[in-house]
């Protein structure tokens, strides 16, 4: 029997289903947007106040100004916290990149049970709570006689950034084709020259990504730094101590700068990491030649 | 022999007396080499003794897992023998790292350095050996010309086809003029047509440069067509070493007979009957050479040695067609004869004309039956 109702019924079911799907996806989007609003509104707010021509952190908007950015330089304590924090982070980046890469190479070339043990030994400081690490380092440094200051903070930061570099570089190392190192040795290069000419060039992007990550991790670290700092504060410590007396506009300005710089760094880092997953993504394959047979 | 004096600890090496002054010197020698990998229970390489001579194209043929790659990696120095010795040019290479061995490898996946141009890849071994700049340029150009890759020298590996990468890898391994070139299934990743072209090109190249090639493959066609001599391996040990002809027509073991080409294999005996040496294979009898050892043995007879007409050989027997398998350019006809099933290779149109159960006469030359121990 081929009555018209028979053919109508399935269509009705389909439209019901698709309506449900639309509603469900609306809810999903609404949730998504709510979460992002929640995350980004404070960031945007701080950014807005950094340009607001008023010492009071409240609406209404009283005009556009760049004076708070200029005020950063005038605020001696703020400026010295910024430069001190930067020197800490740059030292940390330099040392962590070298040491972390070295650890990754050692772990990667070890055989048997050694890699797992070595890796665990490297990583544990990164997963111990910052409070525990900071306190235990502070006590140890006092016993050993390392004064609180630049170097104590640098060592403290290395404890959790070296593992990060090790992991990022190790992931890359493990994806490398082992026959490339063998080919290099086969063609007359010893272990060191093989590393320099064959392994290291393929690790460069991973090391760069790890260095950027280390920079952001170290620059805004608070807990460990709190335990290890002497009289000179790093920027986040300084800002934190200032906020107890209320925000000042130049803090909005510097936080806005830092936010913008870290977004740029993170975008670069992820770009670099993605490129590393498939260095020849895109046009490379199409350019393959078929001639010369 | 001269290179014997180079080696500190060689008196009493077995097999040395076999060398005649006319033969080229041995460049690679396996002296009872075994390899057991860490954690493995069986030997990947099991008591291999082998002499590879200067300037020859030597193939190692065997099924997957037979230990071919392991042998090659021990020559290159990526693995150490668990027991036995490997001598390169008469010198025990135990403990000598890969970069100090005058041996280069063409890897199965080519292992071209992805971050270097073809030119930089090919000049790499020369740079590592600190060859003078102008000589590097000269030799790179010369070697790229040899493999017809000059126009592609600025490209990167990912911009090349499989065959081009293969040739680039070959150029890189050859440019340092090693004493021995090791090739591990270098044509495995190429399509059939390109593979056949490259077989010819490789053989030609080997003759031109005069370098000893040790070529690992599981493709018997490749081994038979390219080699001066070849070794057949199975489960870690060597079954037979010889020229392709010897291995093909005079297999030493049932494994070789079965692995190379297609052969009828079966058990039988050789007996002395009124002064003549006679082989019995099922109900088939045939004369054998007078010096053939007597007693039970295995027989091998190639498919193409069995003819479907009665005049082609000196032994003709009656049988019935059991099955015909069409192979495209030819067919395999299985004929039951007196308790033995003989497979004959026949032109396709002859195979089509036969039907199962049909009575037929097959013939073969008694001289083509090979007696095998075991
Ligand atoms: N690194 C290793 N560790 C443990 N066992 C190994 C290792 N390499 C090879 N083997 C084992 O040794 C045996 C011989 O391996 P090999 O690679 O030499 O075989 P092959 O003849 O080259 O095989 P194929 O034709 O498949 O390449 C195999 O059983 C293999 O599983
Ligand atoms: Mg192999």
């Amino acid at each position: 029997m081929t009555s018209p109702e028979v053919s109508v019924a399935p269509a009705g079911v389909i439209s019901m289903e698709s309506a449900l799907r639309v509603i469900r996806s609306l809810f999903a989007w609404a949730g998504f947007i709510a979460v992002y609003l929640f995350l980004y509104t404070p960031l945007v707010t701080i950014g807005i106040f950094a340009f607001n021509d008023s010492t009071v952190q409240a609406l209404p908007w009283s005009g556009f100004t760049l004076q708070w950015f200029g005020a950063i330089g005038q605020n001696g304590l703020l400026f010295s916290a910024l430069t001190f924090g930067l020197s800490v982070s740059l030292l940390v980046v330099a040392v962590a990149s070298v040491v972390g890469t070295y650890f990754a190479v050692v772990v990667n070339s070890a055989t048997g049970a050694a890699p797992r043990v070595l890796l665990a030994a490297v990583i544990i400081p990164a997963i111990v709570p910052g409070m525990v690490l900071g306190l235990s380092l502070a006590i140890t440094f006092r016993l050993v006689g390392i004064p609180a200051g630049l170097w104590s903070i640098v060592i403290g930061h290395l404890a959790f950034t070296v593992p990060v570099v090790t992991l990022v570089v190790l992931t890359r190392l493990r994806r490398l084709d082992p026959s490339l190192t063998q080919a290099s040795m086969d063609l007359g290069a010893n272990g060191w020259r093989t590393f320099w000419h064959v392994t290291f060039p393929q690790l460069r992007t991973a090391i760069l990504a790890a260095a950027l990550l280390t920079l952001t991790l170290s620059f805004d670290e608070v807990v460990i730094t709190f335990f290890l700092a002497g009289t000179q504060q790093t920027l986040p410590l300084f800002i934190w101590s200032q906020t107890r007396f209320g925000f000042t506009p130049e803090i909005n300005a510097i936080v806005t700068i830092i936010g913008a710089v870290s977004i740029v760094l993170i975008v670069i880092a992820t770009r670099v990491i993605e490129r590393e997953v498939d260095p020849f993504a895109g046009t490379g394959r199409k350019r393959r030649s078929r001639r010369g047979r | 022999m001269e290179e014997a004096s180079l080696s500190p600890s060689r008196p009493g090496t077995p097999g040395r007396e076999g060398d005649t002054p006319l033969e080229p010197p041995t460049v690679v020698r396996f002296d009872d080499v075994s390899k057991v990998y860490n954690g493995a229970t069986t030997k990947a390489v099991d008591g291999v003794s082998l002499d590879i001579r200067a300037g020859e194209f030597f193939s190692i043929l065997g099924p997957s897992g037979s230990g071919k790659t392991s042998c090659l990696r021990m020559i290159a120095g990526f693995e150490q023998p668990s027991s036995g010795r490997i001598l390169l040019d008469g010198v025990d290479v135990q403990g000598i790292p890969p970069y100090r061995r005058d041996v280069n490898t063409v890897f199965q996946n080519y292992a071209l350095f992805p971050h270097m141009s073809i030119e930089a890849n090919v000049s790499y071994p020369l740079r590592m050996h600190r060859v003078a700049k102008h000589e590097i340029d000269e030799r790179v150009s010369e070697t790229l010309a040899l493999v017809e890759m000059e126009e592609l020298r600025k490209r990167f590996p990912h911009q090349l086809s499989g065959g081009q990468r293969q040739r680039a890898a070959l150029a890189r391994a050859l440019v340092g003029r090693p004493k021995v070139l090791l090739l591990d299934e270098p044509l495995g990743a190429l399509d059939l047509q390109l593979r056949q072209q490259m077989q010819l090109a490789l053989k030609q190249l080997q003759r031109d440069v005069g370098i000893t090639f040790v070529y690992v493959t599981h493709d018997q066609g490749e081994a038979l067509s390219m080699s001066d001599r070849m070794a057949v391996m199975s489960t870690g040990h060597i079954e037979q070493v010889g020229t392709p002809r010897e291995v093909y027509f005079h297999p030493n073991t049932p494994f070789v007979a079965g692995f190379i080409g297609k052969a009828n294999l079966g058990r039988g005996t050789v007996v002395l009957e009124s002064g003549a040496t006679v082989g019995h294979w099922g109900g088939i009898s045939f004369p054998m050479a007078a010096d053939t050892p007597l007693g039970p043995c295995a027989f091998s007879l190639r498919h193409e040695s069995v003819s479907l007409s009665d005049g082609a050989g000196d032994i003709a027997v009656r049988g019935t067609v059991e099955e015909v398998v069409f192979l495209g350019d030819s067919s395999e006809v299985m004929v039951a004869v007196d308790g033995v099933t003989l497979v004959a290779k026949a032109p396709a149109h002859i195979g089509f004309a036969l039907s199962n159960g049909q009575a037929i006469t097959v013939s073969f030359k008694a001289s083509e039956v090979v007696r095998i121990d075991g």
Side-chain angles (χ1 to χ4, degrees):
Chain A
M1 206 177 99
T2 55
S3 76
E5 290 91 332
V6 173
S7 62
V8 167
V13 170
I14 287 170
S15 66
M16 272 273 281
E17 262 183 10
S18 61
L20 266 177
R21 213 178 303 143
V22 168
I23 291 169
R24 224 178 287 143
S25 75
L26 271 181
F27 268 103
W29 274 106
F32 205 65
I33 290 165
V35 168
Y36 275 81
L37 270 180
F38 183 74
L39 287 174
Y40 282 100
T41 310
L43 292 178
V44 174
T45 312
I46 244 188
I48 288 171
F49 284 132
F51 297 100
N52 191 11
D53 193 3
S54 159
T55 49
V56 188
Q57 314 273 318
L59 292 174
W61 177 257
S62 33
F64 179 85
T65 179
L66 289 175
Q67 64 162 308
W68 306 127
F69 290 88
I72 295 171
Q74 262 97 68
N75 185 335
L77 284 177
L78 176 64
F79 195 72
S80 77
L82 173 67
T83 50
F84 179 72
L86 271 179
S87 356
V88 168
S89 296
L90 291 178
L91 277 171
V92 168
V93 166
V95 179
S97 302
V98 175
V99 175
T101 303
Y102 174 73
F103 281 179
V105 170
V106 170
V107 169
N108 190 53
S109 57
T111 53
R116 256 180 299 137
V117 177
L118 281 175
L119 197 58
V122 171
I123 286 173
I124 282 170
I127 51 181
V128 165
M131 191 177 64
V132 175
L133 187 65
L135 187 60
S136 51
L137 282 175
I139 293 170
T140 313
F141 288 168
R142 188 166 311 158
L143 285 178
V144 180
I146 298 174
L150 179 71
W151 292 106
S152 64
I153 303 179
V154 167
I155 296 172
H157 283 196
L158 286 175
F160 68 91
T161 52
V162 166
V164 170
V165 178
T166 306
L167 278 182
V168 172
V169 175
L170 185 63
T171 310
R172 178 79 180 119
L173 263 176
R174 287 192 168 151
R175 273 207 307 264
L176 290 187
D177 181 355
S179 65
L180 293 180
T181 2
Q182 290 178 359
S184 169
M185 306 266 264
D186 190 66
L187 295 166
N190 60 22
W192 168 244
R193 302 182 87 196
T194 294
F195 178 79
W196 185 247
H197 291 287
V198 174
T199 313
F200 179 68
Q202 299 183 82
L203 292 182
R204 271 192 303 231
T205 53
I207 297 173
L208 180 60
L212 293 177
L213 203 56
T214 300
L215 184 63
T216 55
L217 282 177
S218 159
F219 190 67
D220 74 4
E221 209 286 331
V222 173
V223 180
I224 296 171
T225 317
F226 177 79
F227 284 100
L228 301 175
T231 48
Q232 172 64 65
Q233 291 177 314
T234 63
L235 187 69
L237 281 190
F238 175 77
I239 291 175
W240 179 76
S241 62
Q242 290 300 295
T243 53
R244 281 180 298 176
F245 315 112
F247 288 92
T248 58
E250 63 259 41
I251 286 182
N252 287 342
I254 198 157
V255 168
T256 303
I257 293 178
I258 290 165
V261 170
S262 20
I263 287 174
V264 170
L265 287 186
I266 286 167
V267 168
I268 294 175
T270 44
R271 276 275 177 100
V272 165
I273 289 174
E274 270 166 18
R275 226 168 64 90
E276 182 192 277
V277 171
D278 185 4
F280 308 124
T283 54
R285 286 181 165 271
K286 287 177 207 139
R287 278 186 283 144
R288 267 190 199 176
S289 163
R290 281 271 152 203
R291 57 170 304 285
R293 294 276 163 78
Chain B
M1 288 228 116
E2 252 188 37
E3 84 267 25
S5 60
L6 292 174
S7 165
S9 60
R10 46 174 322 116
T13 308
R16 204 66 205 168
E17 313 80 57
D19 290 357
T20 66
L22 287 176
E23 273 173 0
T26 299
V27 279
V28 181
R29 157 165 294 193
F30 278 70
D31 187 2
D32 196 20
V33 172
S34 293
K35 173 71 187 174
V36 183
Y37 284 103
N38 276 341
T41 47
T42 53
K43 291 180 175 175
V45 174
D46 188 0
V48 165
S49 293
L50 194 63
D51 277 3
I52 299 171
R53 298 173 197 142
E56 76 178 340
F57 196 120
F58 191 94
S59 293
I60 301 177
L61 173 69
S64 185
S66 54
K68 310 179 295 287
T69 298
S70 304
C71 286
L72 220 54
R73 291 173 61 80
M74 286 191 283
I75 304 177
F78 300 133
E79 300 288 351
Q80 302 299 323
S82 308
S83 67
R85 300 186 308 161
I86 292 178
L87 298 104
L88 289 181
D89 242 1
V91 179
D92 188 345
V93 290
Q94 174 69 38
I96 297 182
Y99 52 87
R100 293 225 199 86
R101 299 188 183 196
D102 196 5
V103 164
N104 286 348
T105 307
V106 177
F107 290 80
Q108 176 159 15
N109 64 356
Y110 314 139
L112 291 169
F113 304 127
H115 57 289
M116 293 184 201
S117 67
I118 295 310
E119 199 172 53
N121 264 284
V122 175
S123 65
Y124 190 81
L126 302 179
R127 285 185 278 137
M128 291 306 114
H129 287 108
R130 302 186 200 283
V131 173
K133 177 86 178 66
H134 62 95
E135 198 189 335
I136 291 184
D137 293 343
E138 203 171 293
R139 277 169 69 180
V140 167
S141 299
E142 191 183 292
T143 312
L144 283 173
L146 198 65
V147 296
E148 294 168 25
M149 288 283 292
E150 296 144 293
E151 291 119 78
L152 304 176
R153 59 191 295 164
K154 299 283 183 215
R155 298 255 186 110
F156 281 78
H158 71 274
Q159 298 170 322
L160 298 181
S161 73
Q164 290 164 344
R165 273 183 238 187
Q166 208 274 335
R167 295 204 303 254
L170 201 58
R172 188 180 65 177
L174 277 172
V175 75
R177 299 190 195 127
K179 201 145 268 151
V180 180
L181 190 71
L182 307 174
L183 303 102
D184 192 356
E185 312 211 16
L187 308 183
L190 305 182
D191 61 49
L192 183 65
Q193 205 189 343
L194 188 55
R195 202 152 71 216
Q196 286 167 346
Q197 281 177 23
M198 284 304 301
Q199 285 177 18
L200 289 175
L202 264 180
K203 180 69 197 160
Q204 186 69 47
L205 188 69
Q206 192 265 339
R207 270 198 216 109
D208 292 349
V209 296
I211 291 174
T212 310
F213 276 34
V214 181
Y215 188 96
V216 158
T217 179
H218 62 257
D219 181 322
Q220 42 156 317
E222 246 169 61
L224 290 171
S225 65
M226 298 164 82
S227 322
D228 296 318
R229 289 193 313 140
M230 58 193 280
V232 183
M233 279 191 88
S234 136
T235 59
H237 61 270
I238 289 193
E239 295 270 340
Q240 186 170 2
V241 180
T243 64
R245 235 162 215 280
E246 284 164 2
V247 172
Y248 190 84
F249 289 108
H250 302 284
N252 276 346
T253 67
F255 175 84
V256 176
F259 187 67
I260 307 229
K262 288 184 166 180
N264 295 290
L265 277 176
R267 300 202 56 81
T269 109
V270 179
V271 294
L272 209 57
E273 277 173 8
S274 47
T277 312
V278 178
H280 290 291
W281 183 356
I284 312 173
S285 305
F286 40 87
M288 302 221 51
D291 56 355
T292 311
L294 303 181
C297 65
F299 289 115
S300 154
L301 180 62
R302 301 217 153 271
H303 289 179
E304 63 269 27
S305 298
V306 181
S307 162
L308 291 178
S309 63
D310 55 3
D314 43 9
I315 308 292
V317 286
R318 299 285 298 165
T320 51
V321 174
E322 271 189 341
E323 204 177 337
V324 180
V325 180
F326 176 57
L327 296 177
D329 57 341
S330 64
S331 49
E332 281 177 354
V333 183
M334 298 178 203
V335 183
V337 181
D338 257 345
V340 181
T341 299
L342 289 181
V343 180
K345 188 175 176 183
H349 68 275
I350 293 186
F352 280 134
L354 297 172
S355 53
N356 294 357
Q358 183 180 337
I360 193 171
T361 301
V362 297
S363 65
F364 57 88
K365 294 194 177 98
S367 59
E368 289 183 355
V369 178
V370 179
R371 179 204 171 277
I372 301 171
D373 283 324

